Short mmCIF file of all heavy atoms in Angstrom, two decimals:
data_model
loop_
_atom_site.label_atom_id
_atom_site.label_comp_id
_atom_site.label_asym_id
_atom_site.label_seq_id
_atom_site.Cartn_x
_atom_site.Cartn_y
_atom_site.Cartn_z
N GLU C 245 48.99 115.44 104.79
CA GLU C 245 49.94 116.02 103.84
C GLU C 245 50.93 115.01 103.27
O GLU C 245 51.28 114.03 103.94
CB GLU C 245 50.73 117.14 104.55
CG GLU C 245 49.85 118.26 105.09
CD GLU C 245 49.06 118.99 104.00
OE1 GLU C 245 49.56 119.10 102.86
OE2 GLU C 245 47.93 119.43 104.28
N HIS C 246 51.39 115.31 102.04
CA HIS C 246 52.42 114.49 101.38
C HIS C 246 53.78 114.95 101.89
O HIS C 246 54.52 115.65 101.20
CB HIS C 246 52.30 114.68 99.86
CG HIS C 246 53.12 113.74 99.04
ND1 HIS C 246 53.55 114.06 97.76
CD2 HIS C 246 53.59 112.49 99.28
CE1 HIS C 246 54.24 113.04 97.26
NE2 HIS C 246 54.29 112.09 98.16
N MET C 247 54.08 114.59 103.14
CA MET C 247 55.26 115.14 103.82
C MET C 247 56.05 114.07 104.58
O MET C 247 55.46 113.19 105.21
CB MET C 247 54.83 116.19 104.85
CG MET C 247 54.31 117.48 104.27
SD MET C 247 53.90 118.63 105.61
CE MET C 247 53.36 120.05 104.64
N LEU C 248 57.35 114.21 104.55
CA LEU C 248 58.22 113.46 105.45
C LEU C 248 58.17 114.10 106.83
O LEU C 248 57.76 115.27 106.98
CB LEU C 248 59.66 113.49 104.94
CG LEU C 248 60.34 114.87 105.04
CD1 LEU C 248 61.26 114.97 106.24
CD2 LEU C 248 61.05 115.22 103.78
N THR C 263 58.70 118.85 109.13
CA THR C 263 58.05 118.11 108.04
C THR C 263 58.46 118.75 106.72
O THR C 263 58.87 119.92 106.69
CB THR C 263 56.50 118.13 108.13
OG1 THR C 263 56.06 119.48 108.00
CG2 THR C 263 56.00 117.56 109.44
N GLY C 264 58.34 117.99 105.63
CA GLY C 264 58.72 118.54 104.33
C GLY C 264 57.88 117.95 103.23
O GLY C 264 57.72 116.73 103.13
N ALA C 265 57.32 118.84 102.39
CA ALA C 265 56.51 118.41 101.24
C ALA C 265 57.32 118.63 99.97
O ALA C 265 57.56 119.78 99.58
CB ALA C 265 55.22 119.21 101.19
N PHE C 266 57.76 117.57 99.35
CA PHE C 266 58.39 117.62 98.03
C PHE C 266 57.62 116.67 97.13
O PHE C 266 57.24 115.59 97.58
CB PHE C 266 59.87 117.17 98.07
CG PHE C 266 60.71 117.78 99.17
CD1 PHE C 266 61.69 117.02 99.78
CD2 PHE C 266 60.51 119.08 99.59
CE1 PHE C 266 62.47 117.56 100.79
CE2 PHE C 266 61.28 119.62 100.60
CZ PHE C 266 62.26 118.86 101.21
N PRO C 267 57.43 117.02 95.86
CA PRO C 267 56.70 116.13 94.97
C PRO C 267 57.33 114.74 94.89
O PRO C 267 58.46 114.54 95.33
CB PRO C 267 56.79 116.85 93.62
CG PRO C 267 56.95 118.29 93.98
CD PRO C 267 57.80 118.30 95.21
N CYS C 270 61.27 113.51 94.66
CA CYS C 270 62.03 114.75 94.81
C CYS C 270 62.77 114.83 96.14
O CYS C 270 63.19 115.91 96.55
CB CYS C 270 61.13 115.97 94.63
SG CYS C 270 60.56 116.16 92.94
N LYS C 272 62.04 113.20 99.56
CA LYS C 272 61.52 113.07 100.94
C LYS C 272 62.23 111.94 101.70
O LYS C 272 62.69 112.15 102.82
CB LYS C 272 60.01 112.81 100.94
CG LYS C 272 59.18 114.02 100.52
CD LYS C 272 57.69 113.74 100.57
CE LYS C 272 57.24 112.65 99.63
NZ LYS C 272 57.53 112.91 98.21
N LEU C 275 65.79 112.93 102.58
CA LEU C 275 65.94 113.93 103.64
C LEU C 275 65.58 113.33 105.00
O LEU C 275 66.24 113.60 106.01
CB LEU C 275 65.06 115.15 103.35
CG LEU C 275 65.40 116.37 104.22
CD1 LEU C 275 66.75 116.96 103.84
CD2 LEU C 275 64.32 117.45 104.12
N ASP C 293 56.89 109.88 103.83
CA ASP C 293 56.00 110.18 102.70
C ASP C 293 54.72 110.93 103.10
O ASP C 293 54.27 111.78 102.35
CB ASP C 293 55.62 108.88 101.97
CG ASP C 293 55.09 109.11 100.56
OD1 ASP C 293 55.75 109.85 99.80
OD2 ASP C 293 54.03 108.58 100.22
N ILE C 417 58.06 123.63 108.68
CA ILE C 417 57.50 122.95 107.50
C ILE C 417 58.32 123.40 106.29
O ILE C 417 58.51 124.61 106.09
CB ILE C 417 56.02 123.31 107.30
CG1 ILE C 417 55.18 122.81 108.49
CG2 ILE C 417 55.49 122.74 105.98
CD1 ILE C 417 53.71 123.25 108.45
N LEU C 418 58.80 122.45 105.50
CA LEU C 418 59.55 122.79 104.29
C LEU C 418 58.72 122.48 103.06
O LEU C 418 57.96 121.51 103.03
CB LEU C 418 60.84 121.97 104.19
CG LEU C 418 61.69 121.74 105.44
CD1 LEU C 418 62.98 121.02 105.06
CD2 LEU C 418 62.00 123.06 106.11
N PHE C 419 58.87 123.32 102.04
CA PHE C 419 58.35 123.00 100.72
C PHE C 419 59.53 122.96 99.77
O PHE C 419 60.52 123.65 99.98
CB PHE C 419 57.33 124.05 100.24
CG PHE C 419 56.09 124.08 101.08
CD1 PHE C 419 55.78 125.17 101.87
CD2 PHE C 419 55.23 122.99 101.09
CE1 PHE C 419 54.64 125.19 102.66
CE2 PHE C 419 54.09 122.99 101.87
CZ PHE C 419 53.79 124.09 102.65
N GLY C 420 59.41 122.17 98.70
CA GLY C 420 60.50 122.12 97.73
C GLY C 420 60.10 121.36 96.50
O GLY C 420 59.03 120.75 96.45
N GLY C 421 60.98 121.41 95.50
CA GLY C 421 60.74 120.67 94.27
C GLY C 421 62.00 120.73 93.43
O GLY C 421 62.99 121.33 93.86
N GLY C 443 53.80 127.36 99.49
CA GLY C 443 53.29 126.00 99.23
C GLY C 443 52.45 125.97 97.97
O GLY C 443 52.56 125.04 97.16
N VAL C 446 54.49 125.74 94.62
CA VAL C 446 55.51 124.69 94.40
C VAL C 446 55.41 124.17 92.98
O VAL C 446 54.32 123.90 92.47
CB VAL C 446 55.36 123.53 95.41
CG1 VAL C 446 56.19 122.31 94.97
CG2 VAL C 446 55.76 123.96 96.81
N ASP C 467 52.99 121.93 91.28
CA ASP C 467 52.50 120.84 92.12
C ASP C 467 52.32 121.41 93.53
O ASP C 467 53.12 121.16 94.43
CB ASP C 467 53.52 119.68 92.11
CG ASP C 467 53.03 118.45 92.85
OD1 ASP C 467 52.00 118.54 93.54
OD2 ASP C 467 53.71 117.40 92.76
N PRO C 468 51.26 122.25 93.71
CA PRO C 468 51.08 122.95 94.97
C PRO C 468 51.13 122.00 96.17
O PRO C 468 50.50 120.94 96.15
CB PRO C 468 49.70 123.60 94.85
CG PRO C 468 49.20 123.34 93.49
CD PRO C 468 50.20 122.56 92.73
N PHE C 469 51.90 122.39 97.17
CA PHE C 469 52.04 121.60 98.41
C PHE C 469 52.47 120.16 98.12
O PHE C 469 52.31 119.29 98.97
CB PHE C 469 50.73 121.61 99.21
CG PHE C 469 50.41 122.96 99.82
CD1 PHE C 469 49.86 123.98 99.05
CD2 PHE C 469 50.67 123.22 101.16
CE1 PHE C 469 49.57 125.22 99.60
CE2 PHE C 469 50.37 124.46 101.72
CZ PHE C 469 49.83 125.46 100.94
N ALA C 470 53.00 119.90 96.92
CA ALA C 470 53.39 118.55 96.50
C ALA C 470 52.21 117.58 96.59
O ALA C 470 52.38 116.37 96.64
CB ALA C 470 54.58 118.03 97.31
N ILE C 471 50.99 118.14 96.59
CA ILE C 471 49.82 117.29 96.82
C ILE C 471 48.86 117.29 95.62
O ILE C 471 47.79 116.70 95.68
CB ILE C 471 49.12 117.72 98.14
CG1 ILE C 471 48.41 116.52 98.77
CG2 ILE C 471 48.17 118.90 97.92
CD1 ILE C 471 48.00 116.72 100.19
N TYR C 482 41.46 123.94 99.41
CA TYR C 482 42.58 123.40 100.21
C TYR C 482 43.51 124.55 100.64
O TYR C 482 43.93 124.62 101.80
CB TYR C 482 43.30 122.35 99.36
CG TYR C 482 44.63 121.87 99.89
CD1 TYR C 482 44.74 120.73 100.68
CD2 TYR C 482 45.80 122.57 99.57
CE1 TYR C 482 45.97 120.31 101.14
CE2 TYR C 482 47.03 122.14 100.03
CZ TYR C 482 47.12 121.02 100.81
OH TYR C 482 48.35 120.60 101.26
N TRP C 486 44.38 125.82 104.57
CA TRP C 486 45.70 126.15 105.16
C TRP C 486 45.69 127.54 105.78
O TRP C 486 46.28 127.76 106.84
CB TRP C 486 46.79 126.04 104.08
CG TRP C 486 47.45 124.70 104.08
CD1 TRP C 486 46.96 123.56 103.51
CD2 TRP C 486 48.70 124.35 104.69
NE1 TRP C 486 47.85 122.52 103.73
CE2 TRP C 486 48.92 122.99 104.43
CE3 TRP C 486 49.66 125.06 105.40
CZ2 TRP C 486 50.06 122.31 104.89
CZ3 TRP C 486 50.79 124.39 105.85
CH2 TRP C 486 50.97 123.04 105.59
N PHE C 502 59.47 127.21 105.31
CA PHE C 502 60.66 127.42 104.49
C PHE C 502 60.46 126.79 103.11
O PHE C 502 59.73 125.81 102.97
CB PHE C 502 61.89 126.77 105.13
CG PHE C 502 62.20 127.29 106.50
CD1 PHE C 502 61.51 126.81 107.62
CD2 PHE C 502 63.17 128.27 106.69
CE1 PHE C 502 61.79 127.28 108.90
CE2 PHE C 502 63.45 128.75 107.97
CZ PHE C 502 62.76 128.26 109.08
N VAL C 504 62.82 125.17 100.11
CA VAL C 504 64.18 124.74 99.79
C VAL C 504 64.23 124.22 98.35
O VAL C 504 63.21 123.81 97.79
CB VAL C 504 64.68 123.63 100.75
CG1 VAL C 504 64.75 124.14 102.18
CG2 VAL C 504 63.81 122.37 100.66
#
Side-chain angles (χ1 to χ4, degrees):
E245 301 299 327
H246 190 206
M247 289 182 179
L248 69 100
T263 63
F266 313 145
C270 291
K272 289 182 298 300
L275 194 69
D293 199 49
I417 296 174
L418 318 185
F419 295 113
V446 167
D467 185 350
F469 290 79
I471 209 165
Y482 168 94
W486 266 80
F502 301 82
V504 297

